[in-house]
Amino acid sequence: MAGTRIPQQPSKAQRRVLAPLALAQFICSFAGSNMNVMINDISKDLDTTVQGVQIAITIFLLVMAALMIPGGKLTDRYGRKRCLLAGLVIYGIGALLSATAPGLGVLILGNSILEGIGTALLIPPVYILTTLLFTDMTSRARAFGVIMALGGIGAAAGPLIGGLITSTLSWRAAFVFQALVIAVIIALSRHIEDPLPPDPTRPFDTAGAVLSAVGLILVVMGILAADNNVWLMIGLLALGALVLVWFFRSVRARERAGKEPLLSISLFRNRTSNLGLITQNVQWLLLMGTSFTVAAYLQVVRGYDAIQTGVVFTAATLGLLVSSLAAERLAKRRPQRTLIMTGFVATIAGIVILVATAGSSTNPWALTPGLLLIGLGLGVMLTPSVNVVQSSFPEEQQGGISGLSRSVSNLGSSLGTAVAGTILVAGLTTGAYAAAMITLAVIGLAGFTAAALLPRTRNVGG
């Protein structure tokens, strides 16, 4: 509601609210990357292929991206806390189902579908509640910093934690771990109070939700088809693009008719926000693409087990942790544009080092400098990119932009796994690994360009 200010909460109360919100982002990001070190274990246990596991990972990320915007809109109708709890319960059921999966089909149902739906329901409330409960820019930036840090650490530490659990117990225990964390979040969420009442009469654009989801699914499935059938890839990409055009035309028609669409076109009229969204998309594409490609290469080409692969990834986790903890301090000294550009430079440099060291040394520790740089680079720019987008809109549009922002980021995650994974699976050799990483570096240059076009101000949009 325009002009309405939520009373400032005591710092202790804010911390109690922030804990479950940040943990929710952590576990969802963890779920997107921890399976990367279980590729061999899952494929052998379920009698499937590396490509089958890649498809399961990609579908999970795609379901998140496709349903994130509808999930954000549902919070207005049913309430932010109610959607958060519903998402947590669905996610927990999916994790338990995955833990007992007898085959790839059940794993996809539990992990890719149910956990994906649960994530799409619970993540928008995380960002909307943070925006509403942390009303001043300083506390809001700090809160987003904590949430993005835990999200990045969840993605980067996923391989290590997943590797430890898989090696000592079983890959199935990793899903039990997720279910336990979900139970903790549900218990902590009792302290959360929804600052705005739900509006059951709020309309929901069902046709728009279907069109946007189908369009995104066709686009990513087209990318997955690249290593099997080029013409199928072109057909799926073209069809996906047509469906997305149809979606935007339907949105415009609803707005002209005075009806509320799934996604307002006005959200795309802010140049600063659009550039920020591009940087978010590329950042998560680089993070998840690198995670999948390096993990698959280490296990399939070099024959490392899950724990060895996870240990190698510790460098990226440490780098991301260090730079994330320094994010608030850096934001006070440097413009957000500078931080995002610096992050891309460090990340691209890390990818180049990874490619060089993989071809010149068989020592697993030779990969750590590159992974460390990638972690440092991503940690520096994740929070500023969120701040750029969120601060570009007034409070009454925070719900819509939060859903769009999370959808764009998760689409980047799904595209990262699809693009890099498809190149790698096409030929699991050092050459294919290098081609996948070089592709990621080129995409990283596009993200750097978008960051360079951001306004040269300290508080972009704010």
Side-chain angles (χ1 to χ4, degrees):
M1 291 184 296
T4 299
R5 306 295 299 181
I6 308 301
Q8 180 92 24
Q9 296 184 9
S11 58
K12 183 178 180 181
Q14 288 187 331
R15 286 196 298 271
R16 293 173 69 185
V17 169
L18 184 58
L21 299 180
L23 274 177
Q25 178 63 76
F26 167 83
I27 198 62
C28 291
S29 298
F30 169 84
S33 68
N34 84 112
M35 278 181 66
N36 292 337
V37 296
M38 307 176 194
I39 295 171
N40 280 345
D41 297 85
I42 293 177
S43 60
K44 290 176 183 176
D45 192 15
L46 301 184
D47 193 26
T48 184
T49 63
V50 171
Q51 191 173 19
V53 180
Q54 180 210 359
I55 289 173
I57 295 171
T58 304
I59 292 175
F60 165 72
L61 296 168
L62 178 59
V63 169
M64 282 198 299
L67 299 182
M68 199 68 70
I69 294 173
K73 295 297 287 187
L74 287 174
T75 61
D76 294 325
R77 186 168 185 171
Y78 298 108
R80 285 134 292 275
K81 182 175 181 179
R82 187 178 298 172
C83 285
L84 174 69
L85 292 175
L88 289 168
V89 170
I90 294 173
Y91 187 108
I93 293 172
L96 292 175
L97 187 61
S98 301
T100 59
L104 182 62
V106 176
L107 180 67
I108 289 177
L109 174 62
N111 174 251
S112 308
I113 306 300
L114 290 180
E115 287 192 25
I117 292 173
T119 302
L121 281 174
L122 72 90
I123 287 297
V126 167
Y127 287 80
I128 297 170
L129 285 169
T130 301
T131 302
L132 294 175
L133 294 173
F134 296 81
T135 54
D136 63 282
M137 289 302 295
T138 301
S139 65
R140 185 181 296 171
R142 184 181 299 114
F144 275 128
V146 172
I147 291 171
M148 294 310 299
L150 278 182
I153 291 168
L160 174 61
I161 300 172
L164 287 170
I165 296 174
T166 300
S167 297
T168 56
L169 297 172
S170 163
W171 64 268
R172 298 178 185 276
F175 288 103
V176 176
F177 167 76
Q178 292 182 43
L180 291 174
V181 174
I182 289 295
V184 171
I185 298 172
I186 291 175
L188 292 174
S189 296
R190 70 183 187 276
H191 297 299
I192 297 175
E193 292 185 9
D194 199 333
L196 296 175
D199 182 4
T201 63
R202 192 79 176 259
F204 182 76
D205 183 7
T206 304
V210 172
L211 287 173
S212 65
V214 170
L216 291 170
I217 288 171
L218 288 171
V219 168
V220 177
M221 291 306 292
I223 295 171
L224 285 173
D227 63 320
N228 294 323
N229 189 317
V230 174
W231 290 110
L232 177 60
M233 175 196 74
I234 295 173
L236 289 170
L237 289 175
L239 187 58
L242 287 174
V243 173
L244 290 176
V245 170
W246 185 7
F247 163 66
F248 281 107
R249 286 177 65 90
S250 72
V251 166
R252 184 172 295 136
R254 285 184 68 89
E255 285 189 322
R256 287 174 178 171
K259 300 177 181 178
E260 184 176 348
L262 180 74
L263 188 68
S264 175
I265 296 294
S266 65
L267 295 177
F268 295 98
R269 293 182 182 139
N270 187 304
R271 180 175 178 272
T272 299
S273 172
N274 289 341
L275 292 170
L277 289 171
I278 292 173
T279 64
Q280 282 187 29
N281 180 274
V282 176
Q283 287 163 17
W284 285 97
L285 187 152
L286 294 177
L287 177 55
M288 299 306 298
T290 299
S291 177
F292 178 84
T293 306
V294 175
Y297 171 77
L298 292 176
Q299 292 175 89
V300 179
V301 177
R302 291 196 173 181
Y304 292 178
D305 60 23
I307 186 64
Q308 290 172 317
T309 303
V311 169
V312 172
F313 271 99
T314 304
T317 307
L318 289 175
L320 203 148
L321 178 61
V322 169
S323 54
S324 294
L325 290 176
E328 183 186 353
R329 194 180 315 116
L330 290 172
K332 294 178 180 178
R333 300 178 180 177
R334 298 285 184 271
Q336 295 178 111
R337 172 181 178 271
T338 301
L339 294 177
I340 299 171
M341 291 175 63
T342 301
F344 274 116
V345 170
T347 303
I348 294 169
I351 291 174
V352 172
I353 292 173
L354 276 180
V355 174
T357 53
S360 61
S361 175
T362 58
N363 186 337
W365 296 111
L367 301 178
T368 55
L371 289 170
L372 178 64
L373 260 180
I374 291 173
L376 287 169
L378 289 169
V380 164
M381 60 182 170
L382 283 175
T383 298
S385 286
V386 171
N387 287 338
V388 163
V389 174
Q390 298 292 148
S391 62
S392 296
F393 294 92
E395 286 191 8
E396 59 266 24
Q397 289 185 289
Q398 286 297 317
I401 193 60
S402 293
L404 176 61
S405 173
R406 294 306 88 212
S407 181
V408 166
S409 296
N410 284 293
L411 180 59
S413 297
S414 114
L415 288 175
T417 303
V419 173
T422 296
I423 296 172
L424 187 63
V425 172
L428 291 170
T429 63
T430 301
Y433 163 83
M437 298 304 290
I438 290 171
T439 300
L440 291 174
V442 172
I443 296 173
L445 289 174
F448 173 84
T449 302
L453 293 173
L454 287 168
R456 297 171 179 270
T457 54
R458 184 168 295 275
N459 290 315
V460 180

